[in-house]
């Protein structure tokens, strides 16, 4: 009787036991798969780490999607020396059965070799991470990676080879200097405006040059210096002797009429369809402000990859038999119905000859732009090398194509009144990197000699080795 009832009990328990076993197996499998997973944490640096400067930033992201991170470390050491712990962070778990909370950890640390007693030369930056997997008797999956780096905490030294720099407001200058090591970036800083330096003009590759400019709105006390950043990221600077000559820029009034706006607007409507609720004044202001800025950026973009050679020589040519109609830096008030509605600076020279005059290239260069550029109309832009450009605007016809080399005096097009032009004239502009400069300087043989060619020649002559002892 008792036996039978026990058998019954056991029989009734069987499905419960089976269910229990199944649940246990599921949990076990779940546990084995999830909590004993074998993928270690991974690390991705934000940038390749090759150099350590006097104050280097090292950043990246650790991640462990499987079990979550338990600990991350960044270590810096010289080969065979003790480790400096730069970062050591641990993260909590959510309980024994559950994994870590931190799946991803981004960090940024500063490495200062002087504080760590690291000398110049080879060193190691290492990253280490552990996760909350229960593998390895609960110590988790481990990750370790080393970056072989070079410690360089010395700033590049810059010795100026050009002595004096007399620059007009709105004018250009040339600086030449020698560096003591390779750099990733150098140039002339005028206020906060940067003009990149280039190597390759001289037989010594450590000699760099840069054309630079003082824009019309930069004052006489604007600091000018050369800066250089080496491969490790150390930046050095050198002041240069400079004198900025003040210039005055005349102020003109320009009357804007409805008939002028209605005549010039259709050519701008491709990117800005005129709407019935847009007034003539709105349309004009859109062209004179927004389009002017967009067109300037288009010119700058066209010249981004300047030739690393000086393609030009001697004085620039000017449109023959032409009168100056507007000068460089003229400040203009735009008046509409008796009120000042806008003001802009005229950053080129307007030259008027007979209508449809052939336009010669100011100097030898490569065509980097040949086409329509908004307010400038049909435009040709030439790259003369090392960030020097000339442009020819409002043309009625273009006779060169992009990529073509043109010689000084070669015809690039025919004058006209395309774009924002009141009548047939040539808008001639010169740019140094992304600044418009006064073209008059480039038409002046003595300015070119004093400010450019004599400086280059002086450096070249200093590089010619002195004659050695005559062999017997
Ligand atoms: Zn103009």
């Amino acid at each position: 009787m008792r036996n039978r009832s026990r058998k019954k009990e056991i029989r009734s328990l069987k499905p419960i036991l089976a269910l229990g076993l199944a649940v246990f197996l599921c949990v076990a499998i779940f546990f084995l798969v999830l909590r004993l997973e074998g993928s270690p944490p991974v690390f991705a640096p934000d940038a390749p780490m090759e150099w350590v400067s006097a104050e280097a930033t090292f950043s990246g992201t650790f991640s462990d999607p499987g079990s979550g991170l338990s600990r991350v470390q960044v270590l810096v050491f010289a080969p065979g020396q003790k480790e400096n712990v730069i970062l050591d962070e641990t993260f909590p778990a959510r309980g024994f059965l559950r994994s870590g909370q931190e799946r991803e950890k981004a960090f940024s640390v500063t490495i200062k070799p002087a504080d760590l007693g690291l000398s110049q030369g080879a060193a190691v930056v290492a990253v280490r991470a552990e996760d909350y997997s229960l593998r390895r008797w609960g110590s988790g999956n481990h990750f370790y990676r080393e970056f072989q780096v070079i410690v360089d905490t010395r700033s590049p030294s810059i010795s100026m080879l050009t002595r004096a720099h007399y620059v007009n407001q709105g004018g250009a200058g040339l600086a030449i200097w020698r560096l003591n090591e390779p750099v990733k970036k150098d140039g002339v800083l005028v206020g906060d405006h940067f003009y990149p330096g280039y190597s390759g003009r001289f037989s010594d590759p450590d000699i760099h040059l840069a054309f630079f400019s003082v824009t019309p709105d930069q004052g006489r006390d604007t600091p000018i210096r050369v800066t250089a950043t080496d491969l490790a990221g150390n930046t050095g600077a050198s002041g240069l002797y400079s004198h900025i000559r003040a210039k005055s820029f005349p102020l003109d009034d320009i009357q804007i009429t409805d008939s002028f706006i209605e005549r010039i607007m259709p050519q701008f409507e491709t990117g800005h369809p005129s709407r019935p609720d847009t007034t003539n004044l709105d349309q004009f202001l859109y062209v004179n402000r927004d389009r002017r800025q967009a067109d300037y950026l288009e010119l700058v973009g066209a010249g981004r990859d300047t030739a690393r050679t000086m393609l030009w020589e001697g004085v620039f040519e000017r449109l023959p038999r032409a009168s100056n109609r507007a000068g460089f830096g003229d400040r203009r008030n735009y008046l509409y119905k008796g009120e000042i509605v806008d003001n802009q600076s005229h950053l080129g020279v307007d030259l008027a000859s007979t209508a449809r005059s052939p336009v010669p290239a100011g100097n030898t260069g490569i065509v980097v732009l040949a086409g329509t550029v908004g307010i400038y109309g049909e435009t040709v832009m030439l790259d003369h090398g090392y960030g020097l450009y000339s442009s020819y605007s409002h043309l009625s016809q273009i006779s060169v194509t992009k990529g073509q080399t043109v010689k000084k005096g070669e015809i690039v097009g025919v004058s006209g009144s395309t774009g924002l032009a009141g009548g047939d004239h040539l808008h001639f502009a010169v740019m140094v990197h992304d600044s418009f400069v006064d073209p008059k300087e480039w038409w002046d043989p003595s300015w070119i000699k004093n400010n450019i060619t004599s400086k280059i020649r002086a450096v070249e002559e200093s590089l010619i080795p002195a004659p050695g002892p005559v062999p017997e």
Side-chain angles (χ1 to χ4, degrees), residues 291-313:
R291 275 308 287 261
R292 185 181 293 273
Q293 179 62 15
D295 298 340
Y296 159 73
L297 293 175
E298 191 175 341
L299 297 182
V300 171
R304 201 173 290 129
D305 293 313
T306 189
R308 301 297 203 265
T309 171
M310 215 149 107
L311 296 162
W312 63 281
E313 203 182 320

Side-chain angles (χ1 to χ4, degrees), residues 346 350 394 425 427:
H346 183 248
D350 287 350
H394 307 313
H425 74 278
H427 176 91

Side-chain angles (χ1 to χ4, degrees), residues 326 332 346-351 376 393-394 420 425-428:
R332 290 169 164 182
H346 183 248
L347 298 172
V349 174
D350 287 350
L351 299 165
Y376 297 104
S393 298
H394 307 313
L420 195 60
H425 74 278
L426 172 69
H427 176 91
F428 175 69

Side-chain angles (χ1 to χ4, degrees), residues 176-195:
I176 308 173
W177 60 91
R178 183 189 270 117
L179 300 165
N180 67 333
E181 62 171 325
V183 294
K184 60 180 173 189
K185 187 180 180 183
D186 69 335
V188 175
L189 204 52
V190 182
D192 57 3
H193 202 129
F194 183 74
Y195 299 87

